[in-house]
Amino acid sequence: VDGRGDLRGMRYQNHVVRRLKDHIKDPETGEPRFRPRIVLPIPVTASGDAYADYRALQRSLVELVAPEIRKALRSRRYEDVLSFIALLKRSVSSVAACRSTLQVVSNRFTELVNTKEEDQETKRQRLRSLRDYNRKLEQFGALSPEEEAEREQLEAEDLAQSFVGLQREIRSGDRKLKQTSDLSEGLKSLLELTKQTLQSDPKFDQVLAEIQGIRKTEPKANILVFTEYTTTQQALLAFLEKAQIGEIFALSGEDDD
């Protein structure tokens, strides 16, 4: 935030807390209206045999995406990799969110791979829309359910188109991938890894451990768990219900009320 307590959309720190309210004061007393928020970052580790598939998934994603990101950074064409970065964000949000996106991308890739190359104007319009949504998200912290759904669709389309372009380069001999010479097989391999990893998501295990720790010291405490993606919320809800931690109430932007 700046000196007036307003959010600075282009300034980032290691940890971001949504809806900072320290600047909201009581007009009569001058005291803060809200209690100070204490932020305690909790590391999520994925060591041990139980998370071997998860580590393999993350490595495979990075091997696929990192070269494209480096290429865009060298040429300063940052907009070209917005969707790649979004895929990485989903992969660390949850395995379920990553799988959902990869499934849509894989299906669309199959439809596009033997069609003619996308025209540049269509690509520019899509990137412009993605940029506008990202700016709105930075400014306001959230999108409407309809906007979020459209942003996810645009990101999936952009990923599929990018993979199709990469596949054409592989076929012509201009590019090589470390793990595969066919992106269709590469995407299928990633989807299989996500399937194997759905039941061993280290972030979900850490969330459960934190909730159980709070319950030991404050058995009657209400605990709020926020997620960025509804796919993550739905998967986490099922995971926590299976763990039988007590009554759970779920609410998302897709709900009417």
Side-chain angles (χ1 to χ4, degrees):
V1 295
D2 59 22
R4 298 188 302 275
D6 297 324
L7 287 175
R8 279 176 151 172
M10 301 305 296
R11 295 295 297 273
Y12 298 87
Q13 300 295 331
N14 289 333
H15 307 289
V16 179
V17 181
R18 291 188 179 185
R19 304 293 186 266
L20 295 175
K21 300 175 181 178
D22 295 347
H23 62 290
I24 302 177
K25 311 287 184 181
D26 187 305
E28 296 181 0
T29 65
E31 295 295 319
R33 286 274 195 179
F34 299 89
R35 294 179 179 179
R37 182 174 293 181
I38 301 173
V39 180
L40 299 174
I42 305 297
V44 177
T45 59
S47 58
D49 293 341
Y51 301 121
D53 287 336
Y54 180 84
R55 294 194 301 273
L57 171 63
Q58 296 298 329
R59 282 195 300 268
S60 296
L61 278 172
V62 170
E63 288 171 356
L64 180 63
V65 171
E68 300 307 304
I69 294 178
R70 285 196 294 267
K71 179 182 175 183
L73 291 176
R74 286 195 298 268
S75 60
R76 297 190 177 184
R77 298 178 62 182
Y78 308 118
E79 292 179 344
D80 289 354
V81 290
L82 288 175
S83 54
F84 286 104
I85 294 172
L87 176 60
L88 291 178
K89 283 183 61 181
R90 282 179 168 80
S91 76
V92 296
S93 173
S94 69
V95 175
C98 181
R99 178 175 173 78
S100 175
T101 299
L102 283 173
Q103 186 65 70
V104 174
V105 170
S106 180
N107 292 342
R108 184 60 176 149
F109 173 87
T110 302
E111 294 173 1
L112 293 171
V113 70
N114 292 315
T115 61
K116 66 178 182 179
E117 188 174 354
E118 180 185 37
D119 65 89
Q120 290 302 304
E121 180 58 28
T122 301
K123 180 178 180 179
R124 280 194 292 268
Q125 291 289 347
R126 182 175 64 252
L127 293 177
R128 186 179 298 118
S129 297
L130 278 171
R131 183 176 63 246
D132 290 342
Y133 279 135
N134 286 333
R135 284 176 176 172
K136 184 174 182 180
L137 189 61
E138 289 174 4
Q139 183 176 2
F140 299 106
L143 299 173
S144 70
E146 294 79 13
E147 290 171 332
E148 183 60 41
E150 184 174 355
R151 186 180 73 136
E152 289 186 18
Q153 185 178 9
L154 288 169
E155 288 172 344
E157 178 69 17
D158 197 52
L159 274 169
Q161 292 285 358
S162 298
F163 285 145
V164 168
L166 183 54
Q167 182 65 47
R168 291 193 180 104
E169 292 182 20
I170 293 170
R171 286 176 176 176
S172 66
D174 294 335
R175 294 287 297 278
K176 290 184 179 180
L177 293 182
K178 184 176 180 180
Q179 296 293 338
T180 181
S181 59
D182 187 295
L183 269 175
S184 178
E185 292 303 316
L187 288 171
K188 289 179 182 178
S189 177
L190 283 172
L191 280 168
E192 184 60 29
L193 273 174
T194 60
K195 183 179 179 180
Q196 297 170 10
T197 314
L198 280 173
Q199 304 305 318
S200 57
D201 192 321
K203 182 171 282 189
F204 285 9
D205 290 337
Q206 188 63 49
V207 170
L208 177 60
E210 293 300 316
I211 291 174
Q212 291 172 334
I214 294 171
R215 288 283 185 228
K216 285 182 179 179
T217 56
E218 300 180 65
K220 296 183 179 180
N222 292 322
I223 303 169
L224 301 180
V225 180
F226 294 91
T227 65
E228 184 169 0
Y229 305 110
T230 53
T231 309
T232 296
Q233 184 201 47
Q234 293 161 2
L236 181 59
L237 176 62
F239 174 81
L240 294 176
E241 286 177 339
K242 186 177 180 180
Q244 298 181 338
I245 61 171
E247 184 178 3
I248 303 173
F249 176 74
L251 184 67
S252 77
E254 296 179 351
D255 294 316
D256 295 334
D257 297 334

